[in-house]
Amino acid sequence: MDPTVSSESGIPLAPSYGPADLPPAESIPPPGVFPFTRGNFPDGYRGRPWTIRQYSGFGTAEESNERYRYLLGQGATGLSVAFDLPTQCGYDSDHPDVEEEVGRVGVAIDTLADAEILFGQIPLDAISTSFTINGTAAIILAFYVAVGEKQGVDRAKLRGTIQNDILKEYVSRGTWIWPPRPSLRLIADTIEFCADEIPRFNAISVAGAHFRDAGANAAQEMAFTLMDGMTYCEEVVRRGRMTIDQFAPQVSFFFYTHGDFFEEIAKYRAGRRRWARIVRERFGAKDDRSCMFRVGCVAGGASLHAPQARNNIVRVAYEALASVLGGVQSMFTAAWDEPFAIPSEDSATLALRTQQVLAHETGVTRVADPLGGSYFVEALTDAVEGRVVEIMDDLERVGGMVKAIEDGYLQRLISEEAFRVEQAMRSAERSIVGVNKFRVDEDQPEIDGYELDEKGRTRQLERLAEVKRSRSAVDVRTTLSALATAADRDDDNLMPYLVDCAKAYCTVGEMVDVLKERWGEFQQPVVF
Amino acid sequence: MPVRVLVAKPGLDGHDRGAKLVARTLRDAGFEVIYLGIRQRPESIAAVALQEDVEIVGLSLLSGAHVALTQKTAEALRAAGADDVLLVVGGTIPRRDVPRLEAAGAAAVYPTGTPLETLVDSLRALSGTLQTSS
């Protein structure tokens, strides 16, 4: 085999594949049958089209609410909320260190008052909402439950997902607050709470996407993510209050789809099969629903490039197609101008249309897993799974995910791969049109990206001050102190206390600080 | 004497792929690199710049808060008495903001898509002017 031809994660590829490359028939049963290599459902997208879920949210709750209602009016079928960094890292908008970041990359949420505006005139029992939030996920979930109550929507009817995956934040995205161990406890609390009270809500979306964007290849992305998923499941099971079948159906996953078309398809198929086996064999799940690998994805991210930026439209379309052929349950297609700024309304709409054309014009939804049985796709699925298992074994050998993160081991694996890819692009060993092939001299395009409205921040600060003035100081004190007491008891679930704090209009920062006093803060290992 | 460079990410943005690639590329190109990591306050960046006696401070910003944070870092460097340190900025930076960053105190700006060779050459040229002038 020519060793110079390989997939992006380094899997050697033959010039062609044939019947001898197919795995035994029992490892690829029909769609809807364990281990779900060919998809979770027998009828693929016929019965359940994927959710078109565009990530957006900016400035203030009012502006974001307007954009959500616009997107829903244009046919989006779910919301995806982007938060600003202070909200993600647990700082209130009036914290002196964060003033320039308020409302910058997403919406600022300080108290329940902001959440009420964010979801104004949007019936929470009729949509599903995805929250890209991790450090403060439990608090945002508490806000969502409280807004639902105010709208008269029963908890059991709320649908959506909180990302709630802190492990990858320590490695790649950086919105950590507390150290890993107490953070795992809070995540296990949210998983139990969702299983008990919000059965249609995904308590966690274990995200490989950020490993990928930080530099990991497709096989690493899948392996690291499955390891994280296992770590969370182990934490819940270890506490002994719940069996795997009680919560596993509410665990979901999230990835980036990048440019290697067939490897991406194989990645999703391999991930589904591996997760199904882990949940059944390692955790002893009896229910098939527990073993299903539910996946959302983004087409775009680090696979997009600044030179000849409009080429990104084409990249995203191919990536979207690969995602669907891989059988994802929801998708966000990125806008072409993302390398420069937060997308404009025009570019964001074009990204939405890219998925709609795929869903409604190409016919790819008519037959489940159309590539099933392809000599090449099945062989590549096996090869990716093999690589994933090797990487997972290595991480187990170094002591598991928390240890690998605390030691900076995982960070180093990712930087190494990012550096390797950068070198491959510089030497043109990896071709990128417009970057190292078919280059033209051009100026960076003038783009009319979103400009932060300074008035938005002022309004946010005024609202926060007003909430602090008008809320009951006694309720704030009582609920925060109950939270503190509960945090000191390992066997208590913090979610009901957070819901009480939310309803008393405590701020995100106040709740975070109560827990910081007890748990401390994460210290980053610096590795490059 | 190798040129000493401090690479840091101010503010809350945690996307550090670019900062790490730059740190490593500069190291391989013969610079002495100190990488400070993410979520650094401008005052801490200035304090380390002074303490480590660096010639160049490189900020990486992908959050859109580049103008304000560059300004704050420049101010912090001045306040720490490190105004001879060259401040350079890279990241997700729209073209319209380049003059604003220069006005805020950036000696050079490297927006998304800047080839690493260009960055290395530019820093070599900048540190050359610094050495001849001092």
Side-chain angles (χ1 to χ4, degrees):
Chain A
M1 203 181 288
D2 181 353
T4 58
V5 178
S6 60
S7 72
E8 281 193 5
S9 42
I11 293 168
L13 300 177
S16 74
Y17 288 79
D21 299 304
L22 280 180
E26 60 270 20
S27 68
I28 41 170
V33 176
F34 183 93
F36 307 110
T37 315
R38 304 198 53 204
N40 291 337
F41 310 110
D43 57 353
Y45 292 122
R46 270 195 206 189
R48 299 160 225 255
W50 73 86
T51 304
I52 298 177
R53 197 190 290 286
Q54 300 300 88
Y55 184 57
S56 65
F58 38 126
T60 57
E62 289 89 347
E63 279 178 287
S64 295
N65 175 264
E66 201 177 306
R67 177 66 76 99
Y68 296 153
R69 287 190 287 126
Y70 169 80
L71 285 171
L72 290 171
Q74 292 298 305
T77 47
L79 295 181
S80 177
V81 182
F83 293 93
D84 72 355
L85 286 165
T87 306
Q88 295 189 49
C89 297
Y91 298 102
D92 291 334
S93 298
D94 57 3
H95 192 288
D97 281 351
V98 303
E99 57 176 346
E100 55 280 335
E101 317 230 31
V102 173
R104 176 77 63 184
V105 299
V107 60
I109 299 292
D110 293 313
T111 68
L112 182 59
D114 301 321
E116 287 163 7
I117 295 166
L118 188 65
F119 295 108
Q121 298 175 61
I122 298 172
L124 296 193
D125 51 354
I127 54 146
S128 83
T129 310
S130 164
F131 297 94
T132 303
I133 193 84
N134 296 279
T136 50
I139 296 171
I140 295 299
L141 176 61
F143 285 159
Y144 200 62
V145 168
V147 172
E149 270 179 33
K150 295 225 162 186
Q151 284 190 2
V153 176
D154 184 39
R155 285 177 192 186
K157 287 192 176 151
L158 296 176
R159 283 183 303 133
T161 304
I162 39 173
Q163 196 163 79
N164 203 19
D165 168 10
I166 201 66
L167 291 173
K168 61 94 174 55
E169 295 293 326
Y170 298 121
V171 176
S172 56
R173 195 168 167 275
T175 68
W176 31 257
I177 302 172
W178 313 286
R181 314 270 169 192
S183 297
L184 279 177
R185 179 247 171 124
L186 186 56
I187 289 167
D189 284 354
T190 57
I191 292 174
E192 285 181 357
F193 180 76
C194 287
D196 280 336
E197 312 229 357
I198 329 178
R200 299 174 76 195
F201 204 93
N202 294 317
I204 190 163
S205 169
V206 187
H210 310 94
F211 294 131
R212 190 69 184 280
D213 243 21
N217 61 43
Q220 287 176 321
E221 176 192 32
M222 184 54 71
F224 299 165
T225 310
L226 296 183
M227 281 296 288
D228 277 351
M230 261 166 46
T231 308
Y232 296 124
C233 289
E234 265 160 17
E235 176 73 12
V236 179
V237 169
R238 184 188 61 75
R239 293 163 26 142
R241 297 176 222 162
M242 234 170 224
T243 65
I244 186 83
D245 286 315
Q246 284 173 280
F247 69 90
Q250 284 163 281
V251 175
S252 67
F253 294 85
F254 186 67
F255 297 91
Y256 260 113
T257 305
H258 283 181
D260 187 337
F261 190 77
F262 287 106
E263 184 168 74
E264 293 298 331
I265 296 168
K267 175 185 84 179
Y268 291 118
R269 300 174 91 252
R272 260 196 311 272
R273 180 158 70 205
R274 182 75 345 227
W275 183 248
R277 290 189 172 142
I278 289 168
V279 176
R280 183 181 278 185
E281 289 160 19
R282 189 175 177 119
F283 294 105
K286 299 193 172 54
D287 186 346
D288 265 2
R289 285 185 322 127
S290 306
C291 305
M292 284 182 189
F293 189 63
R294 278 159 289 266
V295 177
C297 76
V298 185
S303 68
L304 306 188
H305 296 276
Q308 299 179 29
R310 280 181 180 77
N311 295 348
N312 293 330
I313 298 170
V314 182
R315 292 189 178 105
V316 167
Y318 285 131
E319 291 168 359
L321 177 59
S323 308
V324 165
L325 295 175
V328 303
Q329 275 69 58
S330 82
M331 179 155 50
F332 162 50
T333 33
W336 67 270
D337 52 1
E338 220 187 43
F340 306 108
I342 290 177
S344 66
E345 191 154 299
D346 260 0
S347 64
T349 306
L350 180 59
L352 170 66
R353 299 291 183 240
T354 305
Q355 283 196 62
Q356 289 168 329
V357 169
L358 183 60
H360 300 291
E361 295 184 17
T362 62
V364 291
T365 57
R366 288 175 194 143
V367 174
D369 189 36
L371 297 180
S374 147
Y375 305 136
F376 174 42
V377 170
E378 296 298 353
L380 190 59
T381 301
D382 285 359
V384 171
E385 187 183 8
R387 192 59 65 94
V388 166
V389 170
E390 279 169 29
I391 300 168
M392 292 178 76
D393 286 348
D394 175 55
L395 286 165
E396 298 240 41
R397 265 195 304 275
V398 302
M401 279 314 250
V402 172
K403 184 78 171 39
I405 290 165
E406 286 170 343
D407 293 348
Y409 180 79
L410 197 61
Q411 291 88 324
R412 196 175 296 280
L413 290 181
I414 293 171
S415 329
E416 287 295 329
E417 183 66 10
F419 189 70
R420 201 186 61 75
V421 168
E422 181 62 31
Q423 283 184 312
M425 287 199 287
R426 281 161 82 185
S427 67
E429 177 200 319
R430 181 174 296 191
S431 303
I432 310 285
V433 172
V435 175
N436 58 24
K437 263 197 155 64
F438 317 115
R439 288 173 65 159
V440 291
D441 283 330
E442 58 174 351
D443 285 331
Q444 197 180 322
E446 278 300 349
I447 44 158
D448 51 352
Y450 170 76
E451 273 252 39
L452 185 73
D453 177 8
E454 290 296 335
K455 277 183 281 188
R457 184 173 160 265
T458 314
R459 201 163 29 175
Q460 184 65 25
L461 291 175
E462 282 167 5
R463 179 154 63 233
L464 177 55
E466 175 54 31
V467 169
K468 283 184 175 173
R469 254 195 311 277
S470 58
R471 65 188 183 174
S472 151
V474 175
D475 290 354
V476 169
R477 246 194 335 269
T478 320
T479 54
L480 286 177
S481 110
L483 174 66
T485 316
D488 290 338
R489 286 191 304 263
D490 277 346
D491 60 344
D492 213 343
N493 189 311
L494 298 186
M495 274 313 300
Y497 300 95
L498 290 171
V499 173
D500 289 343
C501 291
K503 287 199 252 180
Y505 292 88
C506 297
T507 69
V508 170
E510 287 164 346
M511 293 182 246
V512 163
D513 287 345
V514 161
L515 298 176
K516 259 190 204 168
E517 280 164 28
R518 278 154 186 82
W519 295 345
E521 286 184 72
F522 177 63
Q523 303 301 320
Q524 57 179 322
V526 174
V527 177
F528 75 93
Chain B
M1 276 281 284
V3 176
R4 285 166 79 82
V5 184
L6 176 66
V7 178
K9 286 185 61 68
L12 300 177
D13 157 40
H15 293 83
D16 57 2
R17 180 180 187 158
K20 285 176 167 174
L21 275 177
V22 164
R24 187 157 173 176
T25 303
L26 292 179
R27 192 182 66 193
D28 291 355
F31 291 82
E32 199 170 307
V33 179
I34 299 151
Y35 176 58
L36 211 48
I38 65 169
R39 289 175 63 175
Q40 300 298 315
R41 301 176 69 237
E43 295 76 21
S44 335
I45 294 172
V48 176
L50 195 69
Q51 191 188 322
E52 296 285 340
D53 194 24
V54 301
E55 287 177 41
I56 301 171
V57 169
L59 304 181
S60 166
L61 288 144
L62 280 73
S63 65
H66 40 268
V67 176
L69 286 168
T70 300
Q71 235 153 22
K72 283 194 171 178
T73 308
E75 279 161 23
L77 284 169
R78 265 196 301 278
D83 14 17
D84 56 336
V85 172
L86 282 173
L87 185 61
V88 299
V89 184
T92 309
I93 293 161
R95 200 167 65 174
R96 61 173 180 236
D97 286 345
V98 173
R100 284 153 81 177
L101 287 171
E102 287 166 351
V109 180
Y110 310 108
T112 318
T114 305
L116 286 168
E117 291 80 4
T118 310
L119 175 81
V120 169
D121 291 346
S122 162
L123 287 187
R124 279 200 182 121
L126 280 173
S127 63
T129 53
L130 198 78
Q131 277 165 354
T132 35
S133 68
S134 59

